[in-house]
Amino acid sequence: MSTSDIWVGSNPISMVGTRSAGFAATRLRALAGDGAFAQLVRFALVGGASNILYFAAFLALRGDGALVANAVGAVLSTILANELHRRLTFHAADRVNWFTAQWEGGGLALVGLIASSAAISALGFLLPGADGLLQAGLVIAVSGIVGGLRFVALRGWVF
């Protein structure tokens, strides 16, 4: 038995690593809560996952044109994000049904689609030879800005 062990009843229990394990467990419990910071972290994680889907769809479809690829990628990633936000980010599956989340969240995403389409059009005008990676990067940057505004709207209005 070492100096980091304590006695509980008749059994020694090691305290080695308890502080760091307790700290991690406390942080994980905090992220599972319904506070604004926890929701923002989960919102960002969901956004990252849906952006991966968007990016893959955009690259797969850019041969059909950047605007088509953007629209399809935005629709697919929005459906995924709205459902994950409903269930995970805002814990609203019991308060908001699937259709409402898609309709209201989709309306907010439409604003993002318009902004990203405008950015792609501007990029095409300013840099006509821009490749798909630059186009996708621009859209993701615009989506990040719109995403912050979307978080506030989803938290206060939809969920």
Side-chain angles (χ1 to χ4, degrees), residues 79-93:
I79 291 169
L80 174 66
N82 286 339
E83 182 59 13
L84 292 177
H85 287 320
R86 183 176 81 92
R87 290 176 181 260
L88 303 175
T89 304
F90 299 107
H91 299 147

Side-chain angles (χ1 to χ4, degrees), residues 51-62 69-70 72-74 76-77:
N51 275 333
I52 290 169
L53 175 61
Y54 168 85
F55 190 70
F58 186 90
L59 289 179
L61 297 171
R62 72 184 168 108
N70 181 49
V72 172
L76 292 176
S77 65

Side-chain angles (χ1 to χ4, degrees), residues 86-102:
R86 183 176 81 92
R87 290 176 181 260
L88 303 175
T89 304
F90 299 107
H91 299 147
D94 58 337
R95 297 185 317 270
V96 178
N97 67 38
W98 182 89
F99 181 79
T100 300
Q102 294 302 327

Side-chain angles (χ1 to χ4, degrees), residues 2-57:
S2 72
T3 57
S4 63
D5 292 342
I6 61 170
W7 285 90
V8 176
S10 60
N11 300 319
I13 298 177
S14 177
M15 295 300 291
V16 175
T18 301
R19 180 182 169 114
S20 62
F23 179 78
T26 300
R27 294 297 176 244
L28 287 175
R29 276 193 302 277
L31 290 177
D34 285 327
F37 181 74
Q39 289 176 340
L40 181 60
V41 170
R42 292 191 306 263
F43 182 85
L45 293 171
V46 166
S50 64
N51 275 333
I52 290 169
L53 175 61
Y54 168 85
F55 190 70

Side-chain angles (χ1 to χ4, degrees), residues 45 120 139:
L45 293 171
I120 288 174
V139 170

